[in-house]
Amino acid sequence: MRTYQELLKTPEFAPLLVSTAAHVAALTVSGLALGTLVYDATGSPLLAALSMFGPKLAQIIGASVLLSAADRLPPRAATVGLALFFAVATTALAMPGLSVGAIFAILSVQGMVGSVGGGVRYGLLTEIVPAEGYLLGRSVLNMCAGSLQICGYALGGVLVNVLTPREALLTGAALYVVAAAVARIGLARRPPRAKGRPSASETWRTNARLWAAKPQRRVYLALWVPNGLVVGCESLFVSYAPHDAGLLFAFAAVGMLAGDTLTGRFLPGHWRARFGAPPMLLLLAAPYLIFVLHPALPVALAAVTVGSIGFSANLLLQERLMSLIPSELRGHAFGLHSSGMLTAQGVAAAVAGGIAQVTSPATAMTVMAAASVAVTLALTPGLRRLGPAAAGVLIGRDADRRLTDTGKDLRPTDTA
């Protein structure tokens, strides 16, 4: 499967795409509104960053106790239920007179429950499209997310300035309801991918199994840390340019859209196997180093656009991850990827906000970008040792044999 036409003709892919798009639009509109609301109330770069990205810190709790539900709940029911929960939580955030403490309490619960969402959504994608179509399907979802982020941040910026942040939050809540409705109508009922009931103990066992093998561990670290550090840079857009933050977010989304388009549709398989993700991870962080010069808005927009092309490294790393994971664990595996990535982003936002609090947003962005470059350089040798077999060349039944019951990878080339 190498064309968009083939992909869009696949039954149920379009409803999954539209539901995901509505969810992303809701997230961007409500996120920008909430960040603006908290910054206006407190004047704190740290609290503004945490209001937008802090809920991701709670993902680690959800990933520790709830993630086994990603493969053990009916996918359609889980997708609908999660969207409705986000609608209710976002409506609560729009209540007048809500204290900052209450806002963060709601966001923490939202982050915990949301930890299951990535596993449900991307596990379902592996059922809707064949294995060889996963990269293209995931890239289209990412492209859609990038486009909706552009529109969502633009719409959020308009709503925040023309209406109020609280009214923008209610718009986000309505979009979550749309996501739930599309999923309920367009997706077919499916049984859970794995047997048994969700439990904290099963979540722990499967997490340990996925983390025990060195190849998976390398891929997870590459998915989580460099990406998270750069999102720490993005979390400071509001405090770096309070009146132009929506523009910075929108241009970053343009870069992400371009990168996912090029990587998902046009990058040949032998290039993916030969070079892998490290060059894209370096591209992701390096342009942000220019913020040490406190650049004017046009230069800052160019830097974030070019840098965000590097987010497409996640596609290559997810392709590697899928080649290493048995089919019955893919929802959990992708949920662990999503939760770990979002947790890393939340930690990075907190660190970046703390550095900005005592220095400046520009200085903090430069520090986070330099750290991302350093981590990528440290991870590169291990990722290169994974070889082409982990770059999506071997999938299907071969991938199902990657893990034994103890979680060890059986390929001798990966034991070094």
Side-chain angles (χ1 to χ4, degrees):
M1 181 178 289
R2 291 298 305 164
T3 68
Y4 294 131
Q5 185 176 18
E6 289 179 292
L7 182 66
L8 292 173
K9 286 182 178 179
T10 303
E12 296 183 79
F13 181 78
L16 178 64
L17 179 65
V18 174
S19 178
T20 301
H23 189 96
V24 171
L27 195 63
T28 53
V29 168
S30 57
L32 182 58
L34 191 61
T36 303
L37 185 68
V38 171
Y39 188 69
D40 288 345
T42 65
S44 169
L46 174 60
L47 291 179
L50 286 176
S51 68
M52 295 183 70
F53 297 94
K56 298 175 181 180
L57 290 170
Q59 291 269 342
I60 191 64
I61 302 173
S64 299
V65 298
L66 300 176
L67 200 51
S68 61
D71 290 307
R72 290 171 174 80
L73 292 176
R76 185 180 69 177
T79 302
V80 173
L82 285 167
L84 292 177
F85 168 79
F86 270 77
V88 172
T90 304
T91 301
L93 290 170
M95 293 174 59
L98 201 64
S99 68
V100 173
I103 288 174
F104 280 100
I106 293 172
L107 290 175
S108 297
V109 176
Q110 195 175 29
M112 287 178 57
V113 176
S115 65
V116 181
V120 171
R121 188 176 303 113
Y122 302 123
L124 180 58
L125 177 63
T126 66
E127 296 187 73
I128 290 175
V129 301
E132 66 275 10
Y134 177 82
L135 181 67
L136 185 63
R138 188 68 172 88
S139 72
V140 169
L141 290 181
N142 282 3
M143 289 159 55
C144 179
S147 301
L148 266 296
Q149 283 180 354
I150 297 169
C151 298
Y153 282 124
L155 177 61
V158 170
L159 291 174
V160 164
N161 287 289
V162 174
L163 301 175
T164 67
R166 287 189 173 84
E167 289 169 329
L169 282 169
L170 292 175
T171 302
L175 288 169
Y176 283 125
V177 174
V178 172
V182 172
R184 177 62 181 82
I185 295 170
L187 297 176
R189 179 184 296 178
R190 282 182 171 80
R193 281 179 295 275
K195 297 180 180 179
R197 300 182 65 179
S199 67
S201 60
E202 185 60 34
T203 298
W204 274 100
R205 280 195 296 270
T206 306
N207 284 346
R209 179 181 175 184
L210 292 169
W211 186 253
K214 189 178 291 184
Q216 288 93 269
R217 191 161 61 244
R218 292 169 180 159
V219 174
Y220 275 128
L221 288 172
L223 280 164
W224 295 343
V225 183
N227 173 306
L229 291 167
V230 171
V231 172
C233 298
E234 293 185 341
S235 73
L236 298 174
F237 284 173
V238 170
S239 52
Y240 180 80
H243 301 294
D244 297 303
L247 201 57
L248 284 167
F249 279 118
F251 271 70
V254 169
M256 185 173 68
L257 174 62
D260 286 340
T261 302
L262 293 172
T263 301
R265 179 63 180 88
F266 298 107
L267 188 65
H270 66 276
W271 279 66
R272 301 201 303 270
R274 182 175 180 183
F275 296 105
M280 302 305 292
L281 290 175
L282 290 174
L283 177 64
L284 174 63
Y288 281 88
L289 296 174
I290 200 171
F291 280 89
V292 71
L293 302 176
H294 296 260
L297 183 62
V299 177
L301 292 174
V304 302
T305 303
V306 173
S308 294
I309 294 173
F311 278 117
S312 63
N314 286 351
L315 288 175
L316 304 177
L317 290 166
Q318 287 176 55
E319 187 179 39
R320 288 190 175 195
L321 183 63
M322 190 176 73
S323 74
L324 296 167
I325 302 298
S327 58
E328 70 273 11
L329 292 183
R330 284 177 182 167
H332 193 123
F334 283 114
L336 182 60
H337 145 58
S338 179
S339 294
M341 181 182 68
L342 293 175
T343 299
Q345 291 174 0
V347 171
V351 172
I355 295 172
Q357 196 81 18
V358 298
T359 58
S360 70
T363 299
M365 291 165 77
T366 306
V367 170
M368 301 303 285
S372 182
V373 169
V375 170
T376 295
L377 292 175
L379 289 173
T380 294
L383 291 174
R384 291 263 168 86
R385 283 198 296 270
L386 287 178
V393 176
L394 296 178
I395 49 182
R397 286 185 301 174
D398 289 337
D400 291 344
R401 294 195 296 267
R402 292 290 185 221
L403 297 173
T404 66
D405 288 338
T406 59
K408 299 297 184 182
D409 191 292
L410 301 179
R411 289 184 294 130
T413 58
D414 289 333
T415 60

